[in-house]
Amino acid sequence: MESGKLYLVPTPVGNLEDITLRALRVLKDVDVIYAEDTRTSSVLLKKYGISTHMESYHKFNEHKKTESICSRILEGANAALITDAGSPGISDPGFLITRACIQSGIQVEALPGATAFVPALTESGLPTDRFIFEGFLPQKKGRQTRIRQLAENNATSIVYESPYRLLKLLEALRQYAGGSRNAAVCREISKIHNECKRGTLDELIAWFGANEPKGEIVVIIEGKENGKDEEEEFGRDEYVKKQGKKTGK
């Protein structure tokens, strides 16, 4: 018997129209869809008239279900993995089942599609030639060490953050990087209240100290050497003018 295939299918991070025609076709054609939250995913499937059987697969049951899913695919079933939003495996379940399928000789095919950090990075106005994606930082142990490392990165850094911890993150970054380091806070990507605030850490702390952040957030932090290199290239006066343009002053 020929084994099936596992498809990693990105789903919209906000607007439900941000899904590819190929993704919709795969979701209709597979035998089963494994979803991070079947209730959330049912809204998307209902919108596009997809009635494929769904089962849950999330961080609380992935260790227990991975083996049985692999067995099912080896028996010939084609399966799709989706998360609540974005690409499976990017700060979401997906790595364990992907690794297990590969080790079992199962073909894995990842479809291109939505992920939150790419639009946040490109609209931040910060350098995109080199960047480091950090995902979610530890909530407790090791958090300050990781933040200190972020401040030392020479490339642009990308972090996912909760609105409840955003202000503390910005303040910690200022402690290690200084208040003049440029950054951007993008929230509710692709949704009605999509917003990208750009400025120095000092300016962003002042803004979010007065305006409580809400929704899902991506933080983009300028690399340590970027401002230094530009200042040396253009001269101090021209560099100050450039920074004013970046922050909208």
Side-chain angles (χ1 to χ4, degrees):
M1 179 183 294
E2 185 177 351
S3 70
K5 181 189 291 188
L6 174 67
Y7 293 91
L8 305 176
V9 182
T11 54
V13 297
N15 193 313
L16 293 184
E17 294 180 359
D18 293 339
I19 190 166
T20 67
L21 295 175
R22 183 182 172 208
L24 293 175
R25 176 180 59 78
V26 168
L27 293 177
K28 288 179 181 179
D29 291 347
V30 294
D31 300 296
V32 59
I33 297 171
Y34 292 100
E36 184 178 10
D37 189 324
T38 56
R39 295 165 299 180
T40 299
S41 296
S42 65
V43 176
L44 175 68
L45 300 190
K46 183 177 181 180
K47 176 178 175 64
Y48 291 104
I50 298 172
S51 57
T52 306
H53 174 66
M54 264 197 306
E55 295 182 17
S56 65
Y57 182 81
H58 46 70
K59 66 180 181 179
F60 300 109
N61 70 4
E62 59 181 340
H63 288 275
K64 183 170 65 175
K65 294 193 68 169
T66 292
E67 184 177 348
S68 63
I69 292 174
C70 285
S71 297
R72 189 170 182 177
I73 297 174
L74 285 169
E75 291 171 359
N78 288 313
L81 176 67
I82 60 177
T83 57
D84 290 349
S87 297
I90 304 298
S91 295
D92 273 324
F95 166 69
L96 285 180
I97 186 63
T98 298
R99 181 179 63 180
C101 283
I102 292 170
Q103 291 173 342
S104 299
I106 295 169
Q107 186 177 354
V108 178
E109 187 169 347
L111 277 61
T115 189
F117 76 81
V118 173
L121 172 63
T122 53
E123 75 177 6
S124 70
L126 296 173
T128 59
D129 55 332
R130 293 176 60 234
F131 60 87
I132 299 170
F133 175 64
E134 293 282 348
F136 286 100
L137 299 177
Q139 293 187 26
K140 295 180 180 178
K141 186 177 180 180
R143 182 176 176 85
Q144 290 302 311
T145 299
R146 290 281 291 278
I147 293 174
R148 185 167 60 249
Q149 291 171 347
L150 285 176
E152 293 297 317
N153 285 341
N154 289 329
T156 302
S157 298
I158 306 167
V159 175
Y160 288 165
E161 188 54 282
S162 158
Y164 308 108
R165 293 190 296 270
L166 174 64
L167 198 55
K168 288 185 177 180
L169 170 63
L170 295 175
E171 290 171 343
L173 282 168
R174 179 171 64 179
Q175 177 183 347
Y176 297 115
S180 63
R181 181 77 65 89
N182 285 303
V185 175
C186 302
R187 66 180 192 87
E188 296 293 82
I189 298 291
S190 186
K191 298 180 182 178
I192 294 176
H193 301 293
N194 179 32
E195 177 184 57
C196 186
K197 286 292 180 185
R198 309 170 183 87
T200 64
L201 289 173
D202 279 340
E203 291 166 339
L204 291 172
I205 289 168
W207 171 263
F208 288 107
N211 300 272
E212 182 181 0
K214 296 180 181 180
E216 297 179 348
I217 290 172
V218 185
V219 182
I220 315 293
I221 307 115
E222 182 181 40
K224 179 180 180 180
E225 295 299 322
N226 181 63
K228 179 181 178 182
D229 292 344
E230 288 189 348
E231 184 175 347
E232 291 174 350
E233 179 179 355
F234 295 105
R236 179 61 183 171
D237 292 341
E238 186 63 25
Y239 172 69
V240 170
K241 290 179 183 178
K242 277 174 63 69
Q243 295 303 95
K245 290 179 180 179
K246 284 183 182 180
T247 57
K249 291 181 178 179

